[in-house]
Structures are given as structure tokens and as C-alpha cells.
Amino acid sequence: MINLDKIATEQRNQASSHIDQVSTLEMVTIINNEDKKVPEAITPLLPKIAKAVEIIAAHLHQGGRLFYVGSGTSGRLGILDAAECPPTFSTEPEMVQGIIAGGTEAIFRAQEGAEDSVAGGAKDMAAHEVRAKDVVVGLTASGRTPYVAGALAYARKQGAPTISITCTDHPEVAQWADISLEALVGPEVITGSTRMKAGTAQKMILNMLSTGAMIKLGKVYGNLMVDVKASNKKLEARAKRIVRTATGCDQAEAAQALEQSGGCARQAIDLLRGKYDK
């Protein structure tokens, strides 16, 4: 029997207890005021997040992979962050991967029962041949999702560093995590709807983990996205702008350098740096 009374994300939020009776403006104001609590909840975690970034970067540098594992909203957020890494940082799709309980179908349609399988989490880790060189991040707002627990336990047994991202204190999955990131955002506006504040907190932390690791790997120049993959017109224009900003060249020179470098902004900058760094 699951005791919801002990799970922070399942408590009732008094600030929104009458949200169905207020004006629309008051409704969205309540939601906005609650959302403001999210970054405040993350601030105390920054030292631990920084440590996690360093671990992830070190393992990726050695050829390891980063896995995000979760169910429902948490799983989808992991998939979202992983999917953004190739176009943003020109990483191989295998470097950062998101795994969700219930598989591909669960991305689009809830497969809530899949989260209850400890064996399922372990099985998916085994299927991806998780080893000590990899890093596994388990996402579970409640801190108790069996699927995530199984994945973390399996990864730890293989010697892989493990990180948990939860939104409750004393989460059960912390026992299998080398680093436990507990973003205490408080009860949701709609009781138990962890796609809201909890989801926002998890997304913010994932932003820091992946972006921080990529910065450590040299995937940016200053704060410029020099490894962006120019796979559409918008990204082509962005690549040209990045080259111009980094070197001071004009539009025509940026276009020529990008053509010579196969659309790679980093290589285009290197081609022009000698000319404009004098």
C-alpha cells in the first residue's frame, strides 16, 4: 500500500484550494505565483548539481553515455532534453538518451502501469548495456517510482554513477543514487499534477546537467553555440550569425567559411580566426 500522506507532491496546496471559483486572471496568477517557487527550490541544490555536471562531463569525455530514466512526465522530460542535444551540440544520438517506462508508445499516450515494474527498469538498462563508463539519471517527482528504482539499482550494480532528481524529501530512490537532487517545490496547484511545478523543476535541472556538461566538453565558444548543426534555414542563419559574432567577419565571409567547413560553425570560426584575431 502506497502512503500518499508522506509524499510531498501529493499534498493539497492551500493557495489553490478554491482555484475553481476565482476569475481567470486570479487563476493564472495563482499558478504563476506557485511557479516562482521553483527556482528558489533549486538554488540550494546548485553545489550538488555542479558536482553532477562534472561527473557527467568526465564520463562523456571518456566515451560514456548519459541516460535519463523516468515514467510519465518525468520520462518525457528526459527524452526532450536528450533529443535536443544532437541539433544543439552536434552530439551523436547515442551520447545522451532518454528512456521512458512503457517504451515509445508512452511518449505520446500515458502507460501509467509501466512505472510499477522494478524489473522493467533493470531490464531496460540491461538492454542498453549500461556499464561503469555511463551515467544514469533517474527522474521521479514522488521519489518512489519502482521503474526508476530498478534502473538506478541496476546501473549502480554495474558501477555507473547514478543521480536522482526528485521533488520530495527523503526520497526512496536516493538509496541507489550517488547524488540525490531533491527540488522541494511544495504541493502542486492541482493536487498530484506533477507535470506542473515538479516538471518545471526537473526540466530546469536537466537544462543545467546537459548544458553544463556540453560546456565542459568545449561545445560552446564564449556563450555561442558553435557546434550547432545547421539542419534547417533557421539554424543556417544562426550559424552565420555565430561566425560573424565570434570573428567580426561580414555576412559573405561567414557564408563562404561555412560552405568550406561543411556547415560547421566551429570550423568556420577556426578558418577565419587567423584573419580577424590579428
Side-chain angles (χ1 to χ4, degrees), residues 31-242:
I31 295 173
N32 183 242
N33 286 338
E34 288 297 308
D35 285 344
K36 291 175 183 177
K37 298 177 181 179
V38 176
E40 295 176 358
I42 293 175
T43 298
L45 303 177
L46 293 179
K48 294 171 74 173
I49 293 173
K51 183 178 179 181
V53 167
E54 291 172 351
I55 290 172
I56 292 169
H59 280 251
L60 293 181
H61 182 69
Q62 296 298 322
R65 299 165 296 171
L66 171 61
F67 289 96
Y68 297 136
V69 185
S71 67
T73 296
S74 297
R76 294 181 193 101
L77 288 170
I79 289 170
L80 172 62
D81 195 82
E84 291 290 350
C85 287
T88 305
F89 301 110
S90 288
T91 61
E92 293 299 321
E94 294 76 20
M95 178 181 277
V96 184
Q97 300 181 46
I99 301 174
I100 186 170
T104 303
E105 185 177 352
I107 300 173
F108 307 100
R109 180 173 295 180
Q111 305 285 319
E112 301 298 350
E115 73 175 54
D116 294 329
S117 175
V118 173
K123 181 180 178 181
D124 284 349
M125 291 291 93
H128 285 81
E129 300 182 340
V130 169
R131 297 292 182 266
K133 65 180 181 179
D134 302 317
V135 181
V136 175
V137 178
L139 298 106
T140 162
S142 68
R144 56 150 304 278
T145 305
Y147 176 85
V148 175
L152 290 175
Y154 180 91
R156 172 173 270 192
K157 189 174 182 180
Q158 304 310 308
T162 53
I163 301 162
S164 62
I165 303 176
T166 65
C167 295
T168 190
D169 54 355
H170 308 298
E172 292 180 22
V173 298
Q175 61 188 298
W176 297 289
D178 298 309
I179 299 177
S180 177
L181 302 174
E182 301 159 21
L184 305 181
V185 297
E188 296 287 4
V189 169
I190 305 301
T191 307
S193 181
T194 52
R195 69 184 182 87
M196 301 186 77
K197 288 191 297 182
T200 300
Q202 290 177 320
K203 180 64 171 69
M204 291 178 70
I205 293 173
L206 291 177
N207 285 347
M208 286 186 267
L209 294 183
S210 58
T211 304
M214 295 303 160
I215 292 171
K216 288 282 188 180
L217 292 175
K219 294 287 188 178
V220 301
Y221 178 81
N223 63 353
L224 298 175
M225 196 190 301
V226 292
D227 271 355
V228 62
K229 185 175 292 184
S231 56
N232 58 40
K233 294 298 182 181
K234 181 189 75 174
L235 294 179
E236 288 176 7
R238 181 180 293 167
K240 290 178 184 178
R241 188 167 184 268
I242 287 170

Side-chain angles (χ1 to χ4, degrees), residues 21 25 36 115 181 259 277:
Q21 300 172 25
L25 177 57
K36 291 175 183 177
E115 73 175 54
L181 302 174
E259 184 176 354
D277 282 357

